[in-house]
């Protein structure tokens, strides 16, 4: 028997179980074709967008650059204003024209004070603050707002504190109940007095 045996074939490297499988050559060509088509399509879309933006900017610049067309007509008043027919300031109105009535002036004092009545004057037993419950009846001929100033007095008549009550848009002859709250503790026996009433026509 002869010892001349052929040498063993070289050992082939074993593929790693974690390596991705080898791509067949036909698939590589298809991937290259897809990439080429995608890049070409993107370029076409980008070119179309550039052309669209350019045409829009061109049309806008044309509309801005063109001056307005001039008229060959002779000069005329562009606004067509009507002649001024109001009376200048400080002059008497022309006879025969209706004169608007101005609202009543702000009334304060006895006339407005008659519209306000104190219905209750009481001291809060927990905190010692005084308040006055008021009824306001609008005695004027137009809707009015009222501001009522109330004083709270000790037994000798000295003012200890004061409060304010308000109401808006009270119709003629209508009445409303409001409350004027004093601030600060006062002794028992404190009395209430309306100091001033302001009536403001609406």
């Amino acid at each position: 028997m002869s010892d001349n045996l052929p040498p063993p074939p070289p050992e082939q490297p074993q593929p790693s179980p974690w390596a991705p499988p080898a791509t067949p050559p036909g698939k590589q060509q298809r991937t290259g074709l897809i990439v080429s088509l995608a890049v070409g399509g993107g370029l076409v879309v980008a070119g179309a967008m550039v052309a669209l933006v350019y045409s829009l900017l061109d049309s806008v610049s044309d509309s801005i650059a063109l001056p307005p067309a001039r008229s060959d007509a002779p000069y005329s008043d562009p606004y067509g204003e009507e002649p001024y027919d109001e009376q200048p300031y400080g002059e008497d109105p022309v006879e025969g024209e209706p004169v608007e009535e101005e609202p009543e002036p702000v009334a304060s004092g006895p006339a407005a004070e008659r519209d306000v009545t104190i219905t209750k004057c009481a001291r809060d037993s927990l905190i010692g603050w005084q308040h006055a419950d008021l009824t306001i009846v609008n005695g004027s001929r137009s809707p009015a707002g009222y501001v009522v100033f109330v004083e709270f007095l000790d037994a000798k008549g000295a003012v200890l504190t004061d409060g304010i009550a308000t109401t808006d848009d009270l119709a003629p002859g209508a009445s409303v109940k409001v409350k004027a709250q004093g601030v600060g503790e006062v002794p028992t026996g404190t009395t209430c007095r309306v100091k001033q009433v302001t009536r403001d026509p609406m």
Side-chain angles (χ1 to χ4, degrees), residues 29-78:
Q29 290 173 356
R30 270 190 252 140
T31 306
L33 177 65
I34 291 171
V35 169
S36 299
L37 288 175
V39 169
L43 289 175
V44 169
V45 170
M49 291 297 291
V50 167
L52 179 65
V53 169
Y54 178 77
S55 66
L56 285 174
L57 289 177
D58 192 37
S59 64
V60 168
S61 67
D62 285 349
S63 66
I64 291 173
L66 291 176
R70 292 184 170 249
S71 170
D72 293 336
Y75 174 77
S76 62
D77 190 0

Side-chain angles (χ1 to χ4, degrees), residues 73-149:
Y75 174 77
S76 62
D77 190 0
Y79 302 108
E81 293 179 359
E82 296 181 4
Y84 184 79
D85 59 354
E86 291 184 15
Q87 295 299 318
Y89 180 75
E91 291 187 12
D92 294 332
V94 178
E95 290 181 19
E97 289 186 5
V99 179
E100 291 183 16
E101 288 186 20
E102 294 185 9
E104 293 179 24
V106 173
S108 61
E113 285 177 7
R114 284 195 296 266
D115 294 351
V116 180
T117 307
I118 297 176
T119 57
K120 181 179 178 184
C121 183
R123 178 179 178 272
D124 188 296
S125 59
L126 295 176
I127 60 173
W129 290 18
Q130 194 84 3
H131 74 271
D133 291 337
L134 310 168
T135 299
I136 303 173
V137 180
N138 185 354
S140 69
R141 293 173 293 154
S142 63
Y146 285 81
V147 180
V148 182
F149 299 89

Side-chain angles (χ1 to χ4, degrees), residues 165-177:
T166 62
T167 186
D168 289 329
D169 202 15
L170 189 61
S175 66
V176 66
K177 295 183 184 300

Side-chain angles (χ1 to χ4, degrees), residues 6 26-27 41 48 127 158 164 180 183 192-193 196:
K27 189 144 188 159
I127 60 173
I164 296 176
V183 178
C192 306
R193 174 177 71 190
Q196 182 185 354

